[in-house]
Coordinates of all heavy atoms in Angstrom, one line a residue:
S3 N 161.3 41.9 154.2 CA 160.2 42.0 155.1 C 159.0 42.4 154.4 O 157.8 42.1 154.8 CB 160.6 43.2 156.1 OG 160.8 44.4 155.7
G4 N 159.1 43.1 153.1 CA 157.8 43.4 152.4 C 157.0 42.2 152.0 O 155.7 42.4 152.0
A5 N 157.6 41.2 151.7 CA 156.9 39.9 151.3 C 156.1 39.4 152.5 O 155.0 38.6 152.3 CB 157.9 38.9 150.9
L6 N 156.6 39.6 153.7 CA 155.8 39.2 154.9 C 154.8 40.1 155.5 O 154.1 39.8 156.5 CB 156.8 38.7 156.0 CG 157.8 37.6 155.7 CD1 159.0 37.4 156.7 CD2 157.0 36.4 155.5
Q7 N 154.7 41.3 155.0 CA 153.8 42.3 155.4 C 152.4 41.8 155.3 O 151.9 41.3 154.3 CB 154.0 43.6 154.7 CG 153.3 44.7 155.3 CD 153.9 45.1 156.6 OE1 155.1 45.1 156.8 NE2 153.0 45.5 157.6
G8 N 151.6 41.7 156.4 CA 150.3 41.2 156.3 C 150.1 39.7 156.3 O 149.1 39.2 156.1
D9 N 151.2 39.1 156.5 CA 151.2 37.6 156.5 C 150.4 37.0 157.7 O 150.4 37.6 158.8 CB 152.6 36.9 156.7 CG 152.8 35.6 156.6 OD1 152.1 34.9 155.8 OD2 153.5 35.0 157.6
V10 N 149.4 36.2 157.3 CA 148.6 35.5 158.4 C 149.4 34.4 159.0 O 149.9 33.6 158.3 CB 147.3 34.9 157.7 CG1 146.5 34.1 158.8 CG2 146.4 36.1 157.2
D11 N 149.3 34.2 160.4 CA 149.9 33.2 161.1 C 148.9 32.0 161.1 O 148.2 31.8 162.1 CB 150.2 33.6 162.5 CG 151.1 32.6 163.3 OD1 151.2 31.4 162.9 OD2 151.6 32.9 164.4
W12 N 148.8 31.3 160.0 CA 147.9 30.2 159.9 C 148.0 29.1 160.8 O 147.0 28.5 161.3 CB 148.0 29.6 158.5 CG 147.6 30.5 157.4 CD1 148.4 31.1 156.4 CD2 146.3 31.1 157.1 NE1 147.8 32.0 155.5 CE2 146.4 31.9 155.9 CE3 145.1 30.8 157.6 CZ2 145.2 32.6 155.4 CZ3 144.0 31.5 157.1 CH2 144.1 32.4 156.0
V13 N 149.1 28.8 161.2 CA 149.3 27.7 162.2 C 148.7 28.1 163.6 O 147.9 27.3 164.2 CB 150.8 27.4 162.5 CG1 151.0 26.3 163.6 CG2 151.4 26.8 161.3
R14 N 148.9 29.4 164.0 CA 148.3 29.8 165.1 C 146.9 29.9 165.0 O 146.1 29.6 165.9 CB 149.0 31.1 165.7 CG 148.4 31.6 167.0 CD 148.9 33.0 167.4 NE 148.8 34.0 166.4 CZ 147.7 34.7 166.0 NH1 146.5 34.2 166.7 NH2 147.6 35.6 165.0
V15 N 146.3 30.4 164.0 CA 144.9 30.6 163.8 C 144.2 29.2 163.7 O 143.2 29.1 164.4 CB 144.7 31.2 162.3 CG1 143.1 31.2 161.9 CG2 145.1 32.8 162.3
M16 N 144.8 28.2 163.1 CA 144.2 26.9 163.1 C 144.2 26.3 164.5 O 143.2 25.6 164.9 CB 144.7 26.0 162.1 CG 144.7 26.3 160.6 SD 143.0 26.4 160.2 CE 142.6 28.1 159.8
G17 N 145.2 26.5 165.2 CA 145.4 26.0 166.5 C 144.3 26.7 167.4 O 143.7 26.0 168.3
Q18 N 144.1 27.9 167.4 CA 143.2 28.6 168.1 C 141.8 28.2 167.7 O 140.9 28.0 168.7 CB 143.3 30.1 168.0 CG 142.4 31.0 168.8 CD 142.7 30.9 170.3 OE1 143.8 30.4 170.8 NE2 141.5 31.1 171.1
L19 N 141.6 27.9 166.6 CA 140.2 27.4 166.2 C 139.8 26.2 166.8 O 138.8 25.8 167.3 CB 140.1 27.4 164.6 CG 139.8 28.5 163.9 CD1 140.0 28.4 162.4 CD2 138.5 29.2 164.2
G20 N 140.9 25.2 166.9 CA 140.7 24.0 167.5 C 140.4 24.0 169.0 O 139.7 23.1 169.5
T21 N 140.8 25.2 169.6 CA 140.4 25.3 171.1 C 139.2 25.9 171.3 O 138.7 25.6 172.4 CB 141.6 26.2 171.8 OG1 141.6 27.5 171.1 CG2 142.9 25.6 171.6
V22 N 138.6 26.6 170.3 CA 137.2 27.2 170.7 C 136.1 26.4 169.9 O 135.0 26.7 170.2 CB 137.3 28.6 170.1 CG1 138.2 29.6 170.8 CG2 137.4 28.7 168.6
M23 N 136.4 25.3 169.2 CA 135.3 24.6 168.6 C 134.7 23.6 169.6 O 135.4 23.0 170.3 CB 136.0 23.6 167.5 CG 136.0 24.3 166.2 SD 136.7 23.1 164.9 CE 135.4 21.7 165.0
P24 N 133.3 23.6 169.6 CA 132.8 22.6 170.4 C 133.2 21.0 170.1 O 133.3 20.9 168.9 CB 131.3 22.8 170.2 CG 131.1 24.1 169.5 CD 132.5 24.4 168.8
G25 N 133.4 20.4 171.1 CA 133.9 19.0 171.0 C 132.9 18.1 170.2 O 133.4 17.1 169.6
Q26 N 131.8 18.3 170.1 CA 130.9 17.5 169.4 C 130.7 17.8 167.9 O 129.9 17.0 167.2 CB 129.5 17.5 170.0 CG 128.5 18.7 169.9 CD 128.7 19.7 170.9 OE1 129.9 19.9 171.5 NE2 127.7 20.5 171.2
L27 N 131.5 18.8 167.5 CA 131.5 19.2 166.0 C 132.7 18.9 165.4 O 133.8 19.0 166.1 CB 131.1 20.6 166.0 CG 129.8 21.0 166.3 CD1 129.6 22.5 166.3 CD2 128.7 20.3 165.7
T28 N 132.8 18.5 164.2 CA 134.1 18.3 163.4 C 134.0 18.9 162.1 O 132.8 19.2 161.6 CB 134.3 16.8 163.1 OG1 133.2 16.2 162.4 CG2 134.5 15.9 164.4
L29 N 135.1 19.3 161.5 CA 135.0 20.1 160.2 C 135.1 19.0 159.1 O 135.9 18.0 159.3 CB 136.3 21.0 160.1 CG 136.5 22.1 161.0 CD1 137.8 22.8 160.8 CD2 135.4 22.9 161.0
T30 N 134.3 19.2 158.1 CA 134.4 18.3 157.0 C 135.1 19.0 155.9 O 135.6 18.3 155.0 CB 133.0 17.8 156.5 OG1 132.2 19.0 156.3 CG2 132.2 16.9 157.7
S31 N 135.1 20.2 155.8 CA 136.1 21.0 155.0 C 136.3 22.4 155.5 O 135.6 23.0 156.3 CB 135.4 21.1 153.6 OG 134.4 22.0 153.6
L32 N 137.4 23.0 155.0 CA 137.8 24.4 155.4 C 138.5 25.0 154.4 O 139.4 24.3 153.6 CB 138.8 24.1 156.5 CG 139.7 25.4 156.9 CD1 138.7 26.5 157.5 CD2 140.7 25.1 158.0
S33 N 138.1 26.1 154.0 CA 138.7 26.9 152.9 C 139.1 28.3 153.5 O 138.4 28.9 154.4 CB 137.8 27.2 151.9 OG 138.3 28.1 150.9
A34 N 140.4 28.6 153.5 CA 140.9 30.0 153.9 C 141.5 30.8 152.9 O 142.2 30.3 152.0 CB 141.9 29.7 155.1
A35 N 141.2 32.1 152.9 CA 141.9 33.0 152.1 C 142.1 34.3 152.7 O 141.4 34.9 153.5 CB 140.7 33.4 151.0
K36 N 143.4 34.7 152.2 CA 143.9 36.1 152.6 C 143.5 37.1 151.6 O 143.8 36.9 150.5 CB 145.4 36.0 152.8 CG 146.1 37.3 153.0 CD 146.2 37.8 154.4 CE 146.9 38.9 154.6 NZ 146.3 40.3 154.6
T37 N 143.0 38.3 152.1 CA 142.7 39.3 151.0 C 144.1 40.0 150.6 O 144.9 39.9 151.4 CB 141.8 40.4 151.7 OG1 142.4 41.0 152.8 CG2 140.3 39.9 152.0
T38 N 144.0 40.7 149.6 CA 145.3 41.4 149.1 C 145.1 42.8 149.4 O 146.1 43.6 149.0 CB 145.4 41.2 147.6 OG1 144.2 41.7 147.0 CG2 145.6 39.7 147.3
S39 N 144.1 43.3 150.2 CA 144.1 44.7 150.5 C 145.2 45.0 151.5 O 145.6 44.3 152.4 CB 142.8 44.9 151.3 OG 142.7 46.3 151.8
S40 N 145.8 46.3 151.3 CA 146.8 46.8 152.2 C 146.3 47.5 153.3 O 147.1 48.1 154.1 CB 147.7 47.5 151.3 OG 147.1 48.7 150.9
S41 N 145.1 47.6 153.6 CA 144.4 48.4 154.6 C 144.0 47.6 155.9 O 143.0 47.8 156.6 CB 143.2 49.3 154.2 OG 142.3 48.3 153.8
S42 N 144.6 46.5 156.2 CA 144.3 45.6 157.2 C 144.4 46.1 158.6 O 143.7 45.6 159.5 CB 145.1 44.3 157.1 OG 146.4 44.5 157.4
S43 N 145.2 47.1 158.7 CA 145.4 47.7 160.1 C 144.2 48.7 160.6 O 144.2 49.0 161.7 CB 146.6 48.5 160.2 OG 146.7 49.6 159.2
A44 N 143.2 49.0 159.6 CA 142.2 49.7 160.0 C 141.2 49.0 161.0 O 141.1 47.8 160.9 CB 141.3 50.0 158.8
A45 N 140.7 49.8 161.9 CA 139.8 49.1 163.0 C 138.7 48.4 162.2 O 138.0 49.1 161.5 CB 139.4 50.2 163.9
G46 N 138.4 47.2 162.7 CA 137.2 46.6 162.1 C 137.5 45.9 160.8 O 136.7 45.3 160.1
A47 N 138.7 46.1 160.2 CA 139.1 45.6 158.9 C 139.1 44.1 158.8 O 139.4 43.4 159.9 CB 140.3 46.2 158.5
S48 N 138.8 43.5 157.7 CA 138.9 42.1 157.5 C 140.2 41.9 156.6 O 140.5 42.5 155.7 CB 137.5 41.6 156.7 OG 137.8 40.2 156.4
V49 N 141.0 40.8 157.0 CA 142.2 40.5 156.2 C 142.0 39.2 155.5 O 142.8 38.7 154.8 CB 143.4 40.6 157.3 CG1 143.7 41.8 157.7 CG2 143.4 39.4 158.3
G50 N 140.8 38.6 155.6 CA 140.6 37.5 154.8 C 139.3 36.7 155.3 O 138.5 37.2 156.2
T51 N 139.0 35.5 154.9 CA 137.8 34.6 155.2 C 138.2 33.3 155.5 O 139.1 32.8 154.9 CB 136.7 34.8 154.1 OG1 137.4 34.2 152.9 CG2 136.3 36.1 153.8
L52 N 137.3 32.7 156.3 CA 137.4 31.3 156.6 C 136.0 30.8 156.2 O 135.0 31.3 156.7 CB 137.7 31.1 158.0 CG 139.1 31.5 158.6 CD1 139.0 31.4 160.1 CD2 140.2 30.5 158.0
D53 N 136.0 29.7 155.5 CA 134.7 29.0 155.1 C 134.8 27.5 155.6 O 135.7 26.8 155.5 CB 134.4 29.1 153.6 CG 134.2 30.4 153.2 OD1 133.2 31.2 153.6 OD2 135.0 30.8 152.2
F54 N 133.7 27.1 156.4 CA 133.8 25.8 157.0 C 132.5 25.1 156.5 O 131.4 25.7 156.3 CB 133.5 26.0 158.6 CG 134.6 26.9 159.2 CD1 134.4 28.1 159.4 CD2 135.9 26.4 159.7 CE1 135.1 29.1 160.1 CE2 136.7 27.2 160.2 CZ 136.4 28.6 160.4
S55 N 132.7 23.6 156.5 CA 131.6 22.8 156.6 C 131.8 21.9 157.7 O 132.9 21.4 158.0 CB 131.6 21.9 155.3 OG 131.3 22.6 154.1
V56 N 130.7 21.9 158.5 CA 130.7 21.3 159.9 C 129.7 20.2 160.1 O 128.5 20.4 159.4 CB 130.4 22.5 160.9 CG1 130.8 21.9 162.4 CG2 131.4 23.6 160.7
K57 N 129.9 19.3 160.8 CA 128.9 18.2 161.1 C 129.1 17.8 162.5 O 130.2 18.0 163.2 CB 128.9 17.0 160.2 CG 130.1 16.1 160.3 CD 130.1 14.9 159.5 CE 131.2 14.0 159.7 NZ 131.0 12.7 159.1
G58 N 128.2 17.2 163.1 CA 128.4 16.6 164.4 C 127.0 16.2 165.1 O 126.1 16.0 164.4
T59 N 126.9 16.3 166.4 CA 125.8 15.9 167.1 C 125.5 17.1 168.1 O 126.3 18.1 168.2 CB 126.0 14.8 168.0 OG1 127.2 14.9 168.9 CG2 126.3 13.6 167.2
G60 N 124.3 17.2 168.6 CA 123.9 18.1 169.6 C 122.9 19.0 169.1 O 122.4 20.1 169.9
G61 N 122.4 18.9 167.8 CA 121.3 19.7 167.3 C 121.8 21.2 167.3 O 122.7 21.6 167.1
L62 N 120.6 22.1 167.4 CA 120.7 23.5 167.3 C 121.5 24.0 168.4 O 122.3 25.0 168.2 CB 119.3 24.1 167.2 CG 118.5 23.9 166.0 CD1 117.2 24.5 166.2 CD2 119.2 24.3 164.7
P63 N 121.5 23.5 169.6 CA 122.4 24.1 170.7 C 124.0 23.9 170.2 O 124.8 24.8 170.6 CB 122.1 23.3 171.9 CG 120.7 22.8 171.7 CD 120.6 22.5 170.1
A64 N 124.3 22.8 169.4 CA 125.8 22.7 169.0 C 126.0 23.9 168.0 O 127.2 24.3 167.9 CB 125.9 21.4 168.4
V65 N 125.1 24.2 167.1 CA 125.2 25.3 166.2 C 125.4 26.7 167.0 O 126.5 27.4 166.7 CB 124.1 25.5 165.2 CG1 124.3 26.7 164.3 CG2 123.8 24.2 164.5
A66 N 124.7 26.9 168.0 CA 124.9 28.1 168.8 C 126.3 28.1 169.5 O 126.9 29.1 169.6 CB 123.6 28.2 170.0
A67 N 126.7 26.8 170.0 CA 127.9 26.7 170.8 C 129.1 27.1 169.6 O 130.1 27.6 170.2 CB 128.0 25.5 171.3
W68 N 128.9 26.7 168.5 CA 129.9 27.0 167.3 C 130.1 28.5 167.2 O 131.2 29.0 167.2 CB 129.5 26.3 166.1 CG 130.2 26.8 164.9 CD1 129.8 27.8 164.0 CD2 131.4 26.3 164.2 NE1 130.8 28.0 163.1 CE2 131.8 27.1 163.2 CE3 132.3 25.2 164.7 CZ2 132.9 26.8 162.5 CZ3 133.5 25.1 163.9 CH2 133.7 25.8 162.8
I69 N 128.9 29.2 167.1 CA 128.9 30.6 166.9 C 129.5 31.4 168.2 O 130.5 32.2 168.0 CB 127.6 31.1 166.6 CG1 127.1 30.6 165.4 CG2 127.5 32.7 166.7 CD1 125.5 30.9 165.2
Q70 N 129.3 30.9 169.4 CA 129.7 31.4 170.5 C 131.2 31.2 170.7 O 132.1 32.1 170.9 CB 129.1 31.0 171.8 CG 127.6 31.5 171.9 CD 126.9 30.7 173.0 OE1 127.1 29.6 173.4 NE2 125.7 31.5 173.6
G71 N 131.7 30.0 170.3 CA 133.1 29.5 170.4 C 133.9 30.5 169.5 O 135.0 31.1 169.9
L72 N 133.4 30.6 168.2 CA 134.3 31.3 167.2 C 134.2 32.9 167.6 O 135.3 33.5 167.3 CB 133.8 31.1 165.8 CG 134.6 30.1 165.1 CD1 134.5 28.7 165.7 CD2 134.2 30.0 163.6
Q73 N 133.2 33.3 168.1 CA 133.2 34.7 168.6 C 134.0 35.0 169.7 O 134.4 36.2 169.8 CB 131.7 35.1 168.9 CG 130.8 35.3 167.7 CD 129.3 35.6 168.1 OE1 128.8 35.3 169.2 NE2 128.7 36.2 167.2
S74 N 134.4 34.0 170.3 CA 135.4 34.2 171.5 C 136.9 34.3 171.1 O 137.8 34.6 171.7 CB 135.2 33.2 172.6 OG 135.8 32.0 172.1
D75 N 137.1 34.0 169.7 CA 138.4 33.9 169.2 C 138.7 35.3 168.6 O 138.1 35.8 167.7 CB 138.6 33.0 168.1 CG 139.8 32.7 167.3 OD1 140.7 33.6 167.6 OD2 140.0 31.8 166.8
P76 N 139.9 36.1 169.0 CA 140.1 37.4 168.6 C 140.6 37.4 167.1 O 140.7 38.4 166.4 CB 141.3 37.9 169.5 CG 141.8 36.6 170.0 CD 140.6 35.5 170.0
D77 N 140.9 36.2 166.5 CA 141.3 36.1 165.1 C 140.2 36.2 164.1 O 140.5 36.4 163.0 CB 142.1 34.8 164.8 CG 143.5 34.8 165.5 OD1 144.1 35.8 165.8 OD2 143.7 33.6 165.9
V78 N 139.0 35.9 164.5 CA 137.8 36.0 163.7 C 136.7 37.0 164.2 O 136.7 37.2 165.4 CB 137.3 34.6 163.5 CG1 138.3 33.6 162.9 CG2 136.7 34.0 164.8
S79 N 135.9 37.4 163.2 CA 134.7 38.2 163.6 C 133.6 37.9 162.6 O 133.8 37.1 161.6 CB 135.1 39.7 163.4 OG 135.5 40.1 162.1
Q80 N 132.4 38.5 162.9 CA 131.4 38.3 162.0 C 131.1 36.8 161.6 O 131.0 36.6 160.4 CB 131.5 39.2 160.8 CG 131.5 40.7 161.2 CD 131.5 41.7 160.0 OE1 131.0 41.3 158.9 NE2 132.2 42.7 160.1
V81 N 130.9 36.0 162.5 CA 130.7 34.4 162.2 C 129.2 34.4 162.0 O 128.2 34.9 162.7 CB 131.0 33.8 163.6 CG1 130.8 32.2 163.3 CG2 132.5 33.8 163.9
W82 N 128.9 33.7 160.8 CA 127.5 33.2 160.6 C 127.4 31.9 160.0 O 128.4 31.3 159.5 CB 127.0 34.3 159.6 CG 127.4 34.4 158.2 CD1 127.0 33.7 157.2 CD2 128.6 35.2 157.7 NE1 127.7 34.1 155.9 CE2 128.7 35.0 156.4 CE3 129.4 36.2 158.4 CZ2 129.7 35.7 155.7 CZ3 130.4 36.8 157.6 CH2 130.6 36.7 156.3
V83 N 126.3 31.4 160.1 CA 126.1 30.0 159.6 C 124.8 30.0 158.5 O 123.9 30.8 158.6 CB 125.7 28.9 160.7 CG1 126.8 28.9 161.8 CG2 124.4 29.3 161.4
T84 N 124.9 29.0 157.7 CA 123.9 28.7 156.6 C 123.7 27.3 156.6 O 124.5 26.5 157.0 CB 124.1 29.4 155.3 OG1 125.4 28.9 154.9 CG2 124.2 31.0 155.4
G85 N 122.5 27.0 155.9 CA 122.2 25.6 155.6 C 122.2 24.7 156.7 O 122.5 23.5 156.6
V86 N 121.7 25.1 157.8 CA 121.6 24.2 159.0 C 120.5 23.0 158.7 O 119.5 23.3 158.3 CB 121.2 24.9 160.2 CG1 121.1 24.0 161.5 CG2 122.3 26.0 160.6
Q87 N 121.1 21.8 158.9 CA 120.1 20.6 158.7 C 120.3 19.8 160.0 O 121.5 19.4 160.5 CB 120.7 19.8 157.6 CG 120.5 20.5 156.3 CD 120.9 19.6 155.0 OE1 121.4 18.6 155.2 NE2 120.6 20.1 153.8
V88 N 119.1 19.4 160.6 CA 119.2 18.7 161.7 C 118.3 17.4 161.4 O 117.1 17.6 161.1 CB 118.6 19.3 163.0 CG1 118.4 18.5 164.3 CG2 119.3 20.7 163.4
K89 N 118.9 16.3 161.6 CA 118.2 15.1 161.2 C 117.0 14.8 162.3 O 117.0 15.4 163.3 CB 119.1 13.8 161.3 CG 120.2 14.0 160.1 CD 120.9 12.6 159.9 CE 121.7 12.7 158.8 NZ 122.5 11.6 158.5
A90 N 116.1 14.0 161.7 CA 115.0 13.6 162.5 C 115.2 13.1 164.0 O 114.4 13.4 164.9 CB 114.0 12.5 161.8
N91 N 116.3 12.5 164.2 CA 116.6 12.1 165.5 C 117.0 13.2 166.4 O 117.2 13.0 167.6 CB 117.8 11.0 165.4 CG 119.2 11.8 164.9 OD1 119.3 12.9 165.0 ND2 120.2 10.9 164.7
G92 N 117.1 14.4 165.9 CA 117.2 15.5 166.8 C 118.7 15.8 167.3 O 118.9 16.9 167.8
G93 N 119.5 15.0 166.8 CA 120.9 15.1 167.3 C 121.8 15.4 166.2 O 122.9 16.2 166.5
D94 N 121.9 14.7 165.0 CA 122.8 15.0 164.1 C 122.5 16.3 163.5 O 121.4 16.6 163.0 CB 122.9 13.8 163.0 CG 123.3 12.4 163.7 OD1 123.9 12.5 164.8 OD2 123.0 11.4 163.0
V95 N 123.6 17.0 163.1 CA 123.5 18.4 162.6 C 124.7 18.5 161.6 O 125.8 18.1 161.8 CB 123.5 19.5 163.7 CG1 124.9 19.6 164.5 CG2 123.1 20.9 163.2
S96 N 124.3 19.4 160.7 CA 125.4 19.6 159.6 C 125.0 21.3 159.1 O 123.8 21.7 159.2 CB 125.5 18.8 158.3 OG 124.2 18.8 157.8
F97 N 126.1 22.0 158.9 CA 125.8 23.5 158.4 C 127.2 23.8 157.8 O 128.2 23.3 157.9 CB 125.4 24.3 159.6 CG 126.4 24.2 160.8 CD1 127.3 25.3 160.9 CD2 126.3 23.3 161.7 CE1 128.2 25.3 162.0 CE2 127.0 23.5 162.9 CZ 128.1 24.3 163.0
T98 N 127.1 25.0 157.0 CA 128.3 25.7 156.8 C 128.3 27.0 157.4 O 127.4 27.5 158.0 CB 128.2 26.0 155.2 OG1 126.9 26.8 155.0 CG2 128.1 24.9 154.4
S99 N 129.5 27.5 157.6 CA 129.8 28.8 158.3 C 130.9 29.6 157.7 O 131.7 29.0 157.0 CB 130.2 28.3 159.7 OG 130.4 29.5 160.5
T100 N 130.7 30.8 157.8 CA 131.8 31.7 157.3 C 132.3 32.6 158.5 O 131.4 33.1 159.2 CB 131.2 32.6 156.2 OG1 131.0 31.7 155.0 CG2 132.4 33.5 155.7
A101 N 133.5 33.1 158.5 CA 134.0 34.2 159.4 C 135.0 34.8 158.7 O 135.8 34.5 157.9 CB 134.5 33.4 160.7
L102 N 135.2 36.1 159.2 CA 136.2 37.0 158.6 C 137.4 36.9 159.6 O 137.2 36.9 160.9 CB 135.6 38.4 158.7 CG 134.3 38.7 157.8 CD1 134.0 40.2 157.7 CD2 134.6 38.3 156.4
L103 N 138.5 37.0 158.9 CA 139.8 37.1 159.8 C 140.1 38.6 160.1 O 139.8 39.5 159.3 CB 141.0 36.6 158.7 CG 141.2 35.2 158.6 CD1 142.1 34.8 157.5 CD2 141.4 34.4 160.0
T104 N 140.3 38.8 161.3 CA 140.8 40.2 161.8 C 142.2 40.3 161.8 O 143.1 39.3 161.5 CB 140.4 40.3 163.3 OG1 141.1 39.5 164.2 CG2 138.9 40.0 163.5
P105 N 142.7 41.6 161.9 CA 144.1 41.9 161.8 C 144.9 41.1 162.9 O 146.1 40.9 162.8 CB 144.2 43.4 162.0 CG 142.9 44.0 161.4 CD 142.0 42.8 161.8
A106 N 144.2 40.8 164.0 CA 144.8 40.0 165.0 C 145.5 38.5 164.5 O 146.3 38.0 165.2 CB 143.9 39.7 166.1
S107 N 144.9 38.1 163.3 CA 145.4 36.9 162.8 C 146.6 36.9 162.1 O 147.4 35.9 161.8 CB 144.3 36.3 161.8 OG 144.2 37.1 160.6
E108 N 147.1 38.2 161.9 CA 148.4 38.4 161.2 C 149.7 38.1 162.0 O 149.5 38.3 163.2 CB 148.5 39.9 160.6 CG 147.4 40.2 159.6 CD 147.5 41.6 159.1 OE1 148.0 42.5 159.8 OE2 147.1 41.8 157.9
S109 N 150.6 37.6 161.3 CA 151.8 37.2 162.1 C 152.7 38.5 162.3 O 152.5 39.5 161.8 CB 152.6 36.1 161.3 OG 153.4 36.8 160.2
S110 N 153.7 38.2 163.3 CA 154.7 39.3 163.5 C 156.0 39.1 162.8 O 156.9 39.8 163.0 CB 154.9 39.4 165.0 OG 155.5 38.1 165.5
R111 N 156.0 38.4 161.8 CA 157.2 37.9 161.1 C 157.9 39.1 160.4 O 159.1 39.3 160.4 CB 156.9 36.7 160.1 CG 156.8 35.4 160.8 CD 156.6 34.3 159.8 NE 155.1 34.2 159.3 CZ 154.4 33.3 159.7 NH1 154.8 32.3 160.5 NH2 153.2 33.3 159.3
A112 N 157.0 40.1 159.8 CA 157.6 41.3 159.0 C 158.4 42.1 160.2 O 159.4 42.5 159.7 CB 156.6 41.9 158.3
R113 N 157.8 42.3 161.3 CA 158.5 43.1 162.3 C 159.7 42.4 162.7 O 160.6 43.1 163.0 CB 157.5 43.3 163.5 CG 156.4 44.3 163.1 CD 155.6 44.7 164.3 NE 155.1 43.6 165.0 CZ 153.8 43.0 164.7 NH1 153.2 43.4 163.7 NH2 153.4 41.9 165.5
E114 N 159.6 41.2 162.9 CA 160.8 40.3 163.4 C 162.0 40.4 162.4 O 163.2 40.7 162.8 CB 160.5 39.0 163.7 CG 159.5 38.8 164.9 CD 158.9 37.3 165.0 OE1 159.3 36.5 164.2 OE2 158.0 37.2 165.9
V115 N 161.7 40.4 161.1 CA 162.8 40.4 160.1 C 163.4 41.9 160.1 O 164.6 41.9 159.9 CB 162.2 40.2 158.8 CG1 163.1 40.4 157.5 CG2 161.7 38.6 158.6
Q116 N 162.6 42.9 160.3 CA 163.1 44.3 160.3 C 164.0 44.5 161.6 O 164.9 45.3 161.5 CB 161.9 45.3 160.2 CG 161.2 45.3 158.9 CD 159.9 46.2 158.9 OE1 159.5 46.6 160.0 NE2 159.4 46.4 157.8
G117 N 163.7 43.7 162.5 CA 164.2 43.9 163.9 C 165.1 44.9 164.4 O 165.7 45.2 165.1

């Protein structure tokens, strides 16, 4: 059970992200990392990071919808975007985004093994 302590439930996290992402945006890349800190249970603690490259349509309102969608996901916090580019046609948009993983993203596998 020690090896599973603080394990992130990546399948659930990715599935949840798919449900909160605006439909007009797609991921062009995703990088996820779990921190090695053992203090993940502290209130407001981060247990890892998610880095995204995103493209789509909808201009700046799509970027705002991205932030709102991710903020509604209990697995992530402190969502921010950088490098927003909107093409002259006003619709095509691309940007990068980072979010912190919360302790809610951790799996229950260690508790289940201890059972």
Side-chain angles (χ1 to χ4, degrees):
S3 68
L6 295 174
Q7 193 66 37
D9 181 45
V10 172
D11 189 345
W12 293 111
V13 172
R14 186 182 50 74
V15 169
M16 294 300 113
Q18 182 65 22
L19 284 172
T21 65
V22 299
M23 275 183 56
Q26 72 269 34
L27 298 175
T28 59
L29 297 179
T30 57
S31 73
L32 167 68
S33 174
K36 166 81 170 99
T37 60
T38 57
S39 171
S40 60
S41 62
S42 65
S43 60
S48 166
V49 299
T51 58
L52 296 168
D53 294 302
F54 309 92
S55 291
V56 185
K57 70 174 185 174
T59 60
L62 293 177
V65 178
W68 167 267
I69 295 170
Q70 290 173 333
L72 265 65
Q73 287 177 333
S74 71
D75 185 343
D77 293 325
V78 299
S79 67
Q80 299 183 31
V81 179
W82 65 94
V83 298
T84 58
V86 177
Q87 296 181 349
V88 180
K89 290 195 177 178
N91 67 11
D94 292 341
V95 64
S96 63
F97 57 93
T98 58
S99 180
T100 300
L102 300 180
L103 284 170
T104 68
S107 67
E108 294 179 337
S109 76
S110 61
R111 290 182 274 253
R113 289 187 304 275
E114 293 168 4
V115 169
Q116 291 174 347

